[in-house]
């Protein structure tokens, strides 16, 4: 970036920061990093610049990078929930693009700082993940990188099964009404009789990282909607040249454009917020950004009027085509909520760790209208066995009937 | 306003190579997975037929991260239209991939039901894997010199040489060493001080490291800074005043004096001439009417890879193509791979032709000769003794004779196989191919290490 443009960006950032404060945004101190595409995409693939190394991140990186190289998709920025808040800008962004992005990430930073879901997250996670990465590297030296990788493969397979209400330490999550434990990864780390200390430590690390990422999965629509709302509002208050206005309109359209057949969280979130603002005023928006997650946001604020205005619908695959099956707002809400519940992952709990008196593990899948993909069960259950060391059972619903899969170390039954 | 509310930094990210490194690891895993599937891939129809560097797609199940996930294939999802969408409208076709609902996680939801990762590779890349352990067995040095491999190896460093071969690293090292010894280099700890210089990442621990250490059972802040430094991360904590800490700016950075003639070091090399042997390979194929499409396909698969393998690994191997039914004839490569014949089978004819070609063009002692014959074994009964006799004689002239018999069914005795089985020579190798996957096994058997022991 040439010096003059760097100076202009500095000025614009200063102006936008002022405007954000005037408008009542309350954000962490911002640390913008201008970096090349490879760096931006690697941060995107890992979720964090300091995260440990694993081939699955390399795979994600390759895919994102290839799409970028072929002009299929482009990430303009990445922002990290931390204090101070790090935002990474692509070094090929134009000045105007950077203005929009600065405004956008100010919205994210405010959301991270004030939304209740994020209240328990560790704002020093950048450094903590660097420590994790370091530990994992030491384990690789000590126990062999293949061994550690194979263990990570197994841990990653169940990393989403945390209890989001456990934000700190190693305490177990709440017991469900039926006695099940939602914190599957934490439970296995604490109770498997088979694991070595370093293996338990890795599971706890994966769990801590997932607890940190979890609120972002729970608030995708709100968070993007909020940031888009603010980039529109703040950039409009800047003095833009005519050509900048055209460029801004183009870029904005690209980001919040509704893509046919799927839900764009930026667009859905933005439309909902604007709708609420019209009816209840700006103050109500600030309250909503503080208290709601995607699920409650949709449940409480997606109206019939809005669903019609946005032309939302329910569709499903019938034979070889996708067909619209409903326009009813209740049905739309049900399906949207279901896809956002528990981060979109099946809800599993540890139900018994001494099944048949032989120390076998029973996982229970709480059925919520969607059945598990059997092909994935076939490949994931053996990995749980790798962690537990004894037979693992998974109770679920198949074709409307209760069914229990069992993996005994060699074969999957059920 | 408070300047601390934001900082814009442009750090040097050139050391941030984690993505590339893990990408390589992923590629290696893909390769391993492909290697495990080679037997299937080698006989893949789409590979044998077309020419050129076609990219093939290989489904690999093990490289899609396993997780418990929903089967959403025929479940309702929410979508958005451009206005006026009605119940009953068709919004897309299955398999086009663009009508998937809101994605779940990073990849799920993209393609419901598909649980594999698709690797792409070119035929050349595949060939490299197939040929990894293959070689011409029992190759002996022979007189005719047209099969040489030349190699260049840099193996020495000298003080004299051509300036284009100057070894920059060693030259620089010599210059530093000389100046350090003579006390001429300011801050003589030079090389070491550069890499440990706290300036490079100095902003880091001062600002960010303090808050984290308590939370984790792990080393202190120094390690944090060290980790970040090793990963090339500075995370935006350079403020404006330290933005230019790259070695060329500060006055305290050691400066290297002039490089003099005595510092120069040159790489030198040697030509390596490996004595190689001349070789001729006879590809002999039964194209009679009894060779059905499966048999022909398997034979051609084998020869396809054999030809490719020989041309990749050996500079000047000659390949002669012989096809036969009741009569044998030499054909060009294209007809060998494309044309079929019909009629009965007299395998002796192709062995006769093999003798004739070797006698005429390849004097013994000057060439390593190989012959590979593929047939369904359905030979004229009366011809079997003659074939065995000719094959036995041929073994005197070749380093190795390979016979592959392709038969889907075990029944039907009186095959050529039984007759040839009597040949008692270490130079004779035979294989039965029952299915497409056996092509790879046979390649391994004929060109693998196990036969090379002699």
């Amino acid at each position: 970036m040439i010096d003059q443009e760097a100076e202009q960006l500095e000025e614009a950032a200063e102006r936008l920061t002022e405007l954000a404060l005037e408008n009542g945004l309350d954000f962490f101190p911002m640390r913008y990093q201008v970096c090349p595409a490879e760096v931006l995409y690697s941060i995107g693939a890992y979720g964090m610049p300091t995260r440990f190394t694993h081939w699955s991140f390399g795979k994600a990186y390759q895919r994102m990078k290839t799409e970028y190289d072929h002009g299929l998709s482009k990430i303009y920025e990445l922002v990290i929930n931390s204090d101070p808040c790090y935002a990474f800008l692509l070094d090929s962004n134009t000045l105007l693009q950077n203005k929009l992005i600065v405004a956008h990430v100010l919205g994210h930073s405010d959301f991270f700082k004030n939304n209740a879901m994020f209240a328990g997250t560790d704002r020093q996670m950048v450094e903590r993940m660097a420590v994790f990465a370091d530990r994992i590297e030491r384990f690789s030296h000590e126990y062999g990188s293949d061994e550690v990788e194979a263990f990570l493969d197994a841990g990653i397979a169940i990393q989403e099964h945390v209890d989001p209400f456990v934000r700190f330490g190693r305490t177990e999550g709440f017991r469900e009404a039926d006695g099940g434990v939602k914190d599957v990864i934490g439970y296995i780390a604490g109770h498997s009789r088979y694991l070595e200390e370093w293996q338990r430590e890795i599971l706890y690390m994966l769990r801590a990282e997932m607890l940190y990422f979890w609120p972002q999965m729970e608030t995708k629509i709100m968070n993007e909607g909020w940031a888009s709302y603010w980039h529109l509002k703040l950039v409009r208050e800047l003095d833009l040249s005519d050509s900048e206005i055209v460029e801004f309109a183009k870029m904005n359209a690209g980001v919040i454009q509704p893509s046919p057949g799927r839900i764009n969280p930026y667009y859905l979130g933005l439309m909902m917020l604007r709708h609420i603002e019209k009816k209840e005023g700006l103050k109500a928006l600030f309250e909503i950004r503080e208290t709601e997650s995607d699920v409650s946001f949709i449940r409480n604020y997606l109206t019939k009027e809005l669903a019609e205005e946005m032309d939302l619908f329910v569709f499903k695959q019938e034979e070889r085509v996708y067909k619209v099956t409903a326009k009813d707002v209740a049905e739309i809400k049900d399906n949207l909520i279901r896809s956002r519940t528990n981060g979109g992952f099946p809800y599993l709990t540890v139900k018994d760790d001494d099944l048949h008196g032989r120390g076998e593990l029973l996982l229970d899948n709480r059925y919520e209208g969607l059945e598990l993909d059997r092909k994935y069960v076939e490949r994931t259950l053996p990995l749980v066995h790798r962690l537990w060391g004894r037979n693992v059972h998974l109770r679920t619903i198949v074709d409307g009937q209760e069914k229990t899969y069992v993996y005994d170390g060699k074969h999957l039954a059920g | 306003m408070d300047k601390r509310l934001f900082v814009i930094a442009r750090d040097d990210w050139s050391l941030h190579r984690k993505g590339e490194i893990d990408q390589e690891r992923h590629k290696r895993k893909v390769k391993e997975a492909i290697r495990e599937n080679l037997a299937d891939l080698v006989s893949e129809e789409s590979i044998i037929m077309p020419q050129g560097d076609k990219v093939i797609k290989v489904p690999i199940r093990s490289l899609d991260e396993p997780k418990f996930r929903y089967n959403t294939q025929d479940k309702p999802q929410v979508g958005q239209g451009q206005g006026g969408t009605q119940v009953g409208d068709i919004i897309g076709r299955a398999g086009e991939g663009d009508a998937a609902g809101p994605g779940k996680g990073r990849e799920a939801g993209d393609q419901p039901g598909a649980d594999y990762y698709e690797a792409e590779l070119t035929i050349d890349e595949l060939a490299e894997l197939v040929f990894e352990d293959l070689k011409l067995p029992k190759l002996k040095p022979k007189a005719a010199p047209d099969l040489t491999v030349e190699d260049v190896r840099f193996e020495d460093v000298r003080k004299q040489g051509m300036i284009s071969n100057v070894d920059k690293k060693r030259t620089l090292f010599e210059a530093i060493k000389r100046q350090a010894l003579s006390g001429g280099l300011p801050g003589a700890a030079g090389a070491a001080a550069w890499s440990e210089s706290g300036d490079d990442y100095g902003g880091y621990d001062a600002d960010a490291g303090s808050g984290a250490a308590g939370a984790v059972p792990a080393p202190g802040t120094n390690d944090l800074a060290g980790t970040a430094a090793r990963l090339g991360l500075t995370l935006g904590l350079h403020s404006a005043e330290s933005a230019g800490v790259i070695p060329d700016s500060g006055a305290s950075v050691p400066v290297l004096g002039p490089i003099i003639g005595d510092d120069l070091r040159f790489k030198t090399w040697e030509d390596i001439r490996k004595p190689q042997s001349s070789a001729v390979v006879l590809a002999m194929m039964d194209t009679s009417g009894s060779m059905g499409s499966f048999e022909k396909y398997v034979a051609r698969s084998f020869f396809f890879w054999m030809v490719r393998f020989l041309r990749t690994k050996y500079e000047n191997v000659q390949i002669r193509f012989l096809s036969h039914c009741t009569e044998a004839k030499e054909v060009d490569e294209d007809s060998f791979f494309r044309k079929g014949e019909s009629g009965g089978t007299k395998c002796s004819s192709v062995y006769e032709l093999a003798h004739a070609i070797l006698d005429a063009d390849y004097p013994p002692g000057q060439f390593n000769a190989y012959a590979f014959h593929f047939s369904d074994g359905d030979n004229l009964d009366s011809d079997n003794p003659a074939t065995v006799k000719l094959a036995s004689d041929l073994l005197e002239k070749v380093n190795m004779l390979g016979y592959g018999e392709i038969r889907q069914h075990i029944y039907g005795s009186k095959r050529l196989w039984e007759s040839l089985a009597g040949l008692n020579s270490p130079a004779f190798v035979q294989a039965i191919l029952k299915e497409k996957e056996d092509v790879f096994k046979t390649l391994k058997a004929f060109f693998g290490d196990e036969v090379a022991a002699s």
Side-chain angles (χ1 to χ4, degrees):
Chain A
M1 196 177 291
I2 48 171
D3 286 349
Q4 193 201 350
E5 213 171 288
E7 217 169 272
Q8 287 173 330
L9 176 59
E10 194 88 22
E11 280 166 21
E14 186 157 347
R15 179 76 190 119
L16 285 162
T17 308
E18 273 169 20
L19 284 171
L21 286 172
E22 283 165 18
N23 277 279
L25 288 183
D26 167 30
F27 42 88
F28 292 122
M30 299 303 298
R31 297 291 178 264
Y32 302 103
Q33 268 288 350
V34 179
C35 59
E38 304 87 66
V39 174
L40 196 70
Y41 283 86
S42 83
I43 297 168
Y46 289 76
M48 181 68 96
T50 48
R51 209 165 180 198
F52 66 90
T53 64
H54 187 257
W55 59 266
S56 59
F57 300 136
K59 176 182 148 190
Y61 171 74
Q62 179 175 5
R63 200 189 60 234
M64 295 168 82
K65 184 76 175 28
T66 312
E67 284 180 6
Y68 171 75
D69 289 344
H70 294 170
L72 293 174
S73 78
K74 185 175 174 188
I75 304 181
Y76 295 102
E77 51 83 18
L78 275 162
V79 59
I80 288 177
N81 165 31
S82 60
D83 180 12
C85 175
Y86 300 107
F88 297 84
L89 315 178
L90 190 59
D91 63 2
S92 62
N93 288 343
T94 64
L95 177 62
L96 181 274
Q97 285 172 335
N98 275 332
K99 287 178 185 171
L100 185 148
I101 289 161
V102 164
H104 190 83
V105 297
L106 282 168
H108 280 311
S109 184
D110 167 271
F111 195 87
F112 290 148
K113 191 173 173 185
N114 293 288
N115 181 271
M117 303 299 130
F118 287 84
T121 53
D122 186 346
R123 313 293 187 176
Q124 309 298 331
M125 205 59 185
V126 183
E127 293 78 18
R128 221 173 134 196
M129 284 200 190
V131 177
F132 290 169
D134 214 42
R135 293 291 290 164
I136 287 173
E137 200 180 308
R138 280 184 209 190
F139 295 151
S140 298
H141 284 307
E142 199 164 334
Y143 305 103
S145 49
D146 287 349
E147 178 94 13
V148 172
E149 183 181 276
F151 189 79
L152 279 172
D153 288 350
I156 287 171
I158 58 161
Q159 66 182 352
E160 287 85 6
H161 302 285
V162 295
D163 183 340
F165 296 103
V166 189
R167 303 271 200 235
F168 298 104
R170 295 189 177 186
T171 47
E172 283 167 26
F174 300 121
R175 291 262 159 183
E176 305 272 322
D178 62 1
V181 178
K182 165 88 170 78
D183 183 15
V184 176
I185 189 167
Y187 194 89
I188 290 177
H191 292 81
S192 169
R193 280 178 267 179
Y194 169 81
L195 296 178
E196 293 176 38
E197 273 318 300
W198 67 269
Q199 295 174 319
R200 289 184 209 283
E201 195 179 329
I202 285 182
L203 291 185
Y204 282 125
M205 289 179 198
L206 291 173
R207 175 173 171 258
E209 295 193 351
M210 185 50 61
L211 287 172
Y212 165 82
F213 286 122
W214 194 266
Q216 296 179 38
M217 300 198 279
E218 280 186 306
T219 56
K220 181 85 181 153
I221 294 169
M222 284 190 72
N223 201 347
E224 294 302 354
W226 183 251
S228 301
Y229 175 88
W230 284 104
H231 84 233
L232 277 164
K233 191 157 179 141
L234 298 181
V235 172
R236 275 180 190 157
E237 292 186 37
L238 291 178
D239 294 324
L240 296 183
S241 68
D242 286 354
S243 67
E244 277 186 317
I245 289 170
V246 173
E247 196 188 344
F248 172 74
K250 258 193 196 161
M251 182 182 173
N252 183 59
V255 172
I256 62 165
Q257 164 189 58
S259 42
R262 52 189 314 178
I263 292 294
N264 178 347
Y266 294 76
Y267 183 73
L268 178 60
L270 176 67
M271 290 296 282
M272 286 178 66
L273 288 171
R274 285 188 161 169
H275 199 73
I276 297 163
E277 188 193 10
K278 238 187 277 171
K279 279 190 185 160
E280 304 180 29
L282 185 59
K283 194 157 165 285
L285 288 196
F286 276 92
E287 275 163 30
I288 287 166
R289 77 96 154 76
E290 204 163 317
T291 53
E292 308 280 359
S293 69
D294 280 352
V295 168
S296 62
F297 185 51
I298 291 163
R299 186 182 291 132
N300 298 335
Y301 296 101
L302 184 59
T303 60
K304 182 167 186 287
E305 201 184 340
L306 201 51
E308 273 166 19
E309 191 190 331
M310 294 179 67
D311 195 22
L312 298 181
F313 53 80
V314 178
F315 70 95
K316 68 185 262 192
Q317 187 179 340
E318 278 178 11
E319 295 177 0
R320 301 296 300 159
V321 297
Y322 294 106
K323 206 170 187 177
V324 175
T325 56
K327 293 275 292 175
D328 172 49
V329 69
E331 213 167 310
I332 290 166
K333 276 164 84 161
D334 279 353
N335 280 294
L336 260 184
I337 287 168
R338 192 167 55 194
S339 74
R340 304 299 311 156
T341 301
N342 197 38
F345 296 99
Y347 198 102
L348 296 187
T349 57
V350 175
K351 204 62 187 296
D352 195 346
D353 66 358
D354 192 21
L355 195 66
H356 307 319
R358 291 196 296 262
E360 298 178 10
L361 183 72
L362 172 63
L363 298 177
D364 196 41
N365 169 219
R366 191 205 278 172
Y367 181 69
E368 288 170 341
L370 283 178
E371 296 186 357
L372 298 182
D373 191 327
R374 188 195 155 101
K375 285 191 229 139
Y376 281 93
V377 172
E378 281 169 8
R379 289 171 47 216
T380 313
L381 219 46
L383 295 177
V384 183
H385 186 275
R386 197 186 285 174
L387 302 174
W388 189 251
R390 290 167 194 246
N391 290 6
V392 286
H393 305 248
L394 172 65
R395 191 164 65 200
T396 184
I397 301 286
V398 176
D399 298 332
Q401 305 281 317
E402 187 176 297
K403 174 169 189 154
T404 304
Y405 294 102
V406 190
Y407 186 76
D408 65 1
K410 290 194 188 81
H411 306 287
L412 183 79
Chain B
M1 69 181 260
D2 184 1
K3 201 74 177 124
R4 275 195 67 259
L5 274 181
F6 76 94
V7 172
I8 302 174
R10 292 171 183 79
D11 289 325
D12 179 8
W13 289 92
S14 54
L15 289 176
H16 189 92
R17 298 200 19 90
K18 216 166 20 160
E20 271 84 15
I21 293 166
D22 276 344
Q23 185 180 338
E24 284 312 308
R25 174 72 195 129
H26 174 237
K27 280 186 186 162
R28 277 207 303 282
K29 282 184 83 80
V30 171
K31 225 172 176 182
E32 281 164 25
I34 292 172
R35 195 174 284 135
E36 280 164 24
N37 290 318
L38 276 182
D40 288 336
L41 292 174
V42 158
S43 46
E44 186 58 48
E45 209 137 349
S46 61
I47 296 173
I48 313 299
M49 295 315 175
Q51 314 115 324
D53 285 335
K54 212 186 128 192
V55 171
I56 42 179
K57 289 188 172 180
V58 186
I60 300 169
R61 291 188 54 148
S62 59
L63 285 179
D64 184 30
E65 299 98 303
K67 287 191 186 311
F68 295 112
R69 54 179 74 173
Y70 290 127
N71 180 3
T72 53
Q73 193 157 17
D74 48 6
K75 295 295 179 299
Q77 299 175 63
V78 177
Q80 182 183 358
Q82 279 151 328
T85 306
Q86 301 292 323
V87 172
D89 286 359
I90 287 166
I91 55 162
R93 297 198 171 275
E96 282 171 8
D98 54 2
K104 294 181 199 66
R106 276 164 301 174
E107 279 197 315
D110 289 0
Q111 287 175 320
D115 66 331
Y116 55 84
Y117 171 79
E118 226 169 40
E120 291 191 344
L121 74 170
T122 62
I123 293 185
D124 282 343
E125 286 166 331
L126 179 60
E128 202 179 297
L129 290 170
V130 175
F131 301 156
E132 228 162 41
D133 308 319
L134 302 188
K135 63 180 179 199
L136 271 177
K138 302 172 204 279
L139 199 62
K140 296 177 194 118
K142 300 271 170 156
D146 60 344
L147 221 173
T148 61
V149 168
E150 210 171 272
D151 205 358
V152 173
R153 190 191 292 162
F154 284 95
E155 51 179 15
D156 201 3
V157 179
R158 293 181 189 165
K159 287 182 137 192
Q160 266 89 38
M162 284 189 294
I163 199 72
S164 60
N165 291 321
V166 72
D167 184 332
K168 288 178 195 150
K169 203 164 135 194
R170 286 200 173 84
T171 300
L172 214 59
F173 180 69
E174 287 301 322
I176 293 168
K177 197 163 80 178
R178 175 179 53 75
Q179 291 173 53
L181 284 173
S182 68
L185 194 65
W194 286 0
S195 60
E196 281 175 15
S197 162
D199 272 357
D200 282 25
Y201 299 101
Y204 190 86
D205 41 6
D207 211 337
S210 50
V216 210
T221 43
N222 282 340
D223 265 275
L224 281 174
T227 308
R230 192 160 28 72
L231 296 172
L233 289 173
T234 54
L235 298 167
L237 289 158
H238 279 311
S239 50
E241 63 270 23
S242 67
V245 199
I246 320 298
D248 62 358
S249 69
S252 67
V253 172
V255 176
L256 181 64
I259 293 168
I260 61 170
D262 207 36
D263 297 331
L264 291 174
R265 292 294 181 274
F266 298 89
K267 291 183 247 188
T268 60
W269 72 90
E270 273 172 21
D271 285 346
I272 301 165
R273 281 172 200 283
K274 289 184 189 152
Q276 277 281 346
S277 307
S278 311
V280 56
V281 175
L282 304 178
M284 317 193 293
M285 181 163 58
D286 183 350
T287 53
S288 65
S290 63
M291 290 280 284
S293 61
F294 170 79
E295 286 80 5
K296 278 180 190 145
Y297 175 72
V298 167
R300 281 176 182 156
S301 292
F302 175 87
F303 285 120
F304 169 86
W305 288 107
M306 184 195 85
V307 167
R308 231 186 141 93
F309 151 67
L310 292 172
R311 295 212 171 120
T312 310
K313 281 220 169 175
Y314 299 90
E315 213 172 311
N316 215 359
V317 155
Q318 296 182 43
I319 307 170
R320 306 282 291 257
F321 299 94
L322 285 56
S323 71
H324 74 90
C325 43
T326 50
E327 278 171 30
K329 59 184 174 199
E330 185 172 4
V331 295
D332 62 43
E333 185 175 347
D334 197 49
S335 341
F336 184 80
F337 278 106
R338 283 171 204 285
K339 286 189 185 143
E341 303 275 332
S342 53
T345 314
K346 263 177 80 182
C347 289
S348 63
S349 63
V350 78
Y351 285 88
E352 258 170 43
L353 182 59
H355 277 286
I357 288 174
L358 289 180
D359 291 346
D361 298 341
Y362 305 97
Q366 289 197 26
F367 285 88
N368 287 285
Y370 299 84
F372 298 100
H373 180 214
F374 276 75
S375 164
D376 61 349
D378 194 7
N379 198 24
L380 212 69
D381 281 355
S382 58
D383 187 54
N384 278 346
T387 308
V388 173
K389 175 74 175 70
L390 284 163
S392 174
D393 290 347
L394 193 63
L395 282 167
E396 303 286 317
K397 296 178 185 168
V398 297
N399 300 36
M400 192 178 121
L401 167 64
Y403 172 64
E405 190 163 300
I406 308 147
R407 44 183 199 197
Q408 279 172 290
H409 313 289
I410 304 298
Y411 59 80
S413 55
K414 283 190 187 163
R415 299 266 178 172
L416 185 54
W417 174 271
E418 277 77 26
S419 309
L420 285 173
L423 288 175
N424 196 4
S425 161
F428 179 67
V429 189
Q430 54 181 0
I432 288 187
L433 296 88
K434 292 196 188 94
E435 49 193 18
K436 290 202 292 186
E437 287 70 29
D438 290 338
V439 170
F440 184 58
K441 212 177 70 190
T442 309
L443 276 169
K444 287 260 180 209
F446 286 2
F447 299 110
D449 265 339
E450 48 266 48
V451 274
S454 67

